[in-house]
Amino acid sequence: MTPPLSPHPKTLRPKPRHLRGRLAAALVAAFVAALLSTAADPSPDPAQADNPIIQTIYTADPAPLVYNGRVYLYTGHDEDASTWFTMKEWRVWSSDDMVNWTDHGSPLNIDTFSWARQDAWAGQAVERNGKFYWYVPVVNDATGRMAIGVAVADSPTGPFRDAIGHPLVENGEIDPTVFIDTDGQAYLYWGNPNLWYVKLNADMTSYSGSPTKIQLTTQGFGSRPNNAQRPTLYEEGPWFYKRNSLYYMVFAAQCCSEFIAYSTSPGPTGPWTYRGTIMPTQGSSFTNHAGVIDFKGSSYFFYHNGALPGGGGFTRSVAVEKFTYNADGTFPQINMTTAGAPQVGTLNPYVRQEAETIAWESGIETERASGGGMNVGWIENGDWIKVKGAAFGTGARQFTARVASATAGGSIEVRLDSPTGTRVGTCAVTGTGGWQTWSSVSCPVSGATGTHDVYLRFTGGSGYLFNVDSWQFAV
Ligand code: FUB
């Protein structure tokens, strides 16, 4: 169940800025990093970087899904200043160009499952016959054990509801990954410390037979040094799929720190052959978690690290890299970068863009909008949003934004290529009488031709200035 909207959230509570817990989180991060991490944090330059792809909150455990020409990205949400995997909800994001990501909020949380107590950990969603099934691990309140729940929705962005009202399967283990084979048979794999699978029925909410434990052999899953309890590298976070008749099991290897490794098989249930490391231990989170897709002719590798300010093992962030499989289907080594994946195509500034479609930002937050969807809020003087690669063509003449303000408003400066780049327009925003009382403001634009990164820079007095729901240029 989604929490209800508070009618006046801003006047009642302080800004829930993800950097608010910076000190505590930084202490934990430093401690964990010193103990566990073997590689440098790829500290992003905020004006240049596109990784991590989400900056408004901490995110973890990416599970991308390609549907109808968009990538839908399902993630967990690490609470600010966490000192454990304190996770209460899952989040959805989407993009059609791999760099500008739209925030769809949280259409699934622990309360969606009446029988669940806590731990909204790593899951994966899949589409079948126009319905979207999201498999997630949670603690079953009745048993205190980790179980796998399944939620269903009619849209990739939800809302999701508990599909069956009880755990789909429960054996105390986590991290479900789901794949529908070309013959229509669906498989659910999961597990830590073991690796299990069941064959899902066509309804995607029940299964045939009993959970089967994969034999974790060193031939199949590599050799972990000096660990009699866990002789193979398999740790958790499986990501199961098929490409060109070869089945892949990508997984978090060894603990801790984890790295991402993979095995392949000629069939969906083995025999598995260990193929080595994809992503070495990097990035100041002692866990990592992979999701792999092909999208618009290229391959992408999603993962998480601790690269945001205050980031670390319990305050993680999702990032993505583009890669190319070797000719024989093996993976190249993939390293974490701050640049991230290149943009696929350009963004059209002449159609309505949601304000919560963001490549990078400074200072803002998102929240649920009263009319549905999300809006950008908690805007203070100097905050900004970057939208990458907007194709203006021969030139824009006008900028329009849908805004709301319970105070005196401020201004939206429209700048090109950096937060202090050429200012091509400035829109004045006045009070509208409420943070969810929406009104349109327009201003002339000149000098916006060709393709540029657009920076919406917000200025005004002290305190929160206004909210932005959407924007659009016109010729
Ligand atoms: O996010 C909580 C847990 O951390 C996930 O279930 C694991 O895969 C690890 O990333």
Side-chain angles (χ1 to χ4, degrees):
M1 195 173 61
T2 314
L5 267 175
S6 165
H8 307 292
K10 295 198 176 190
T11 52
L12 296 179
R13 58 192 164 97
K15 185 172 187 176
R17 187 179 290 269
H18 67 266
L19 303 183
R20 207 166 265 283
R22 184 191 304 227
L23 183 59
L27 287 172
V28 172
F31 175 70
V32 170
L35 277 179
L36 303 171
S37 185
T38 60
D41 181 355
S43 295
D45 169 357
Q48 298 301 325
D50 293 313
N51 261 341
I53 56 178
I54 313 298
Q55 307 94 40
T56 45
I57 59 169
Y58 296 115
T59 53
D61 303 326
L65 167 69
V66 176
Y67 179 72
N68 268 358
R70 278 187 88 78
V71 179
Y72 291 88
L73 177 62
Y74 301 81
T75 73
H77 174 193
D78 283 343
E79 294 291 318
D80 293 358
S82 287
T83 54
W84 177 242
F85 299 111
T86 309
M87 305 170 80
K88 303 172 182 171
E89 62 178 19
W90 296 268
R91 307 284 294 216
V92 184
W93 321 81
S94 75
S95 175
D96 64 359
D97 66 5
M98 299 302 294
V99 295
N100 296 303
W101 290 91
T102 303
D103 186 340
H104 298 286
S106 174
L108 181 66
N109 61 51
I110 287 289
D111 292 340
T112 306
F113 302 102
S114 60
W115 48 270
R117 184 197 299 170
Q118 64 187 60
D119 294 348
W121 288 4
Q124 187 183 349
V126 72
E127 183 267 344
R128 184 164 203 159
N129 297 330
K131 292 212 179 293
F132 298 82
Y133 299 90
W134 196 349
Y135 302 85
V136 291
V138 282
V139 173
N140 182 348
D141 197 29
T143 63
R145 293 200 309 170
M146 273 290 185
I148 310 298
V150 55
V152 65
D154 299 321
S155 132
T157 56
F160 283 83
R161 59 188 183 278
D162 187 353
I164 52 178
H166 55 82
L168 172 65
V169 61
E170 175 175 338
N171 64 2
E173 301 202 30
I174 60 173
D175 290 1
T177 176
V178 61
F179 172 68
I180 305 171
D181 209 345
T182 36
D183 64 1
Q185 178 63 59
Y187 296 86
L188 190 77
Y189 270 92
W190 76 100
N192 173 347
N194 302 293
L195 180 59
W196 303 81
Y197 76 89
V198 289
K199 288 183 174 184
L200 294 172
N201 294 330
D203 63 12
M204 301 299 280
T205 59
S206 63
Y207 58 86
S208 300
S210 303
T212 301
K213 195 194 278 191
I214 291 284
Q215 205 64 37
L216 290 177
T217 63
T218 55
Q219 211 268 331
F221 293 90
S223 197
R224 186 183 312 221
N226 309 319
N227 194 323
Q229 298 297 315
R230 293 193 180 213
T232 80
L233 288 169
Y234 179 80
E235 178 73 17
E236 60 181 355
W239 183 263
F240 176 52
Y241 65 101
K242 181 167 76 169
R243 182 178 178 274
N244 295 340
S245 307
L246 191 61
Y247 293 81
Y248 291 76
M249 188 68 70
V250 177
F251 58 91
Q254 198 160 276
C255 182
C256 289
S257 297
E258 294 176 344
F259 61 95
I260 302 295
Y262 74 118
S263 304
T264 62
S265 166
T269 59
W272 294 99
T273 301
Y274 182 62
R275 296 292 180 189
T277 300
I278 300 175
M279 177 171 274
T281 302
Q282 295 173 347
S284 70
S285 162
F286 64 90
T287 66
N288 197 351
H289 194 109
V292 185
I293 53 165
D294 283 349
F295 177 64
K296 295 186 176 175
S298 297
S299 300
Y300 297 91
F301 184 87
F302 291 77
Y303 59 95
H304 68 221
N305 62 23
L308 280 187
F314 304 119
T315 42
R316 300 161 291 179
S317 293
V318 167
V320 66
E321 309 294 341
K322 182 178 170 181
F323 74 98
T324 304
Y325 287 93
N326 298 319
D328 62 358
T330 55
F331 269 88
Q333 179 174 310
I334 301 172
N335 294 309
M336 299 182 184
T337 73
T338 56
Q343 185 171 15
V344 181
T346 52
L347 179 132
N348 183 352
Y350 299 117
V351 299
R352 175 191 157 118
Q353 296 290 343
E354 296 300 323
E356 65 273 16
T357 297
I358 296 168
W360 199 270
E361 56 80 16
S362 176
I364 61 96
E365 303 283 341
T366 62
E367 61 185 358
R368 288 202 305 138
S370 56
M374 306 288 283
N375 65 258
V376 166
W378 318 100
I379 292 171
E380 291 171 290
N381 183 39
D383 292 350
W384 51 262
I385 290 171
K386 169 189 171 186
V387 179
K388 193 165 181 176
F392 289 104
T394 53
R397 293 283 185 81
Q398 191 182 57
F399 175 81
T400 300
R402 196 165 153 72
V403 296
S405 177
T407 56
S411 293
I412 304 175
E413 297 177 357
V414 182
R415 293 181 178 268
L416 302 183
D417 301 322
S418 93
T420 54
T422 304
R423 179 152 55 98
V424 295
T426 304
C427 268
V429 177
T430 55
T432 62
W435 294 114
Q436 294 289 324
T437 305
W438 298 100
S439 172
S440 286
V441 293
S442 293
C443 51
V445 168
S446 98
T449 60
T451 299
H452 294 273
D453 297 346
V454 174
Y455 285 75
L456 303 180
R457 186 165 177 272
F458 309 113
T459 59
S462 59
Y464 303 125
L465 304 178
F466 50 86
N467 292 346
V468 187
D469 187 35
S470 62
W471 55 265
Q472 180 168 354
F473 287 83
V475 288

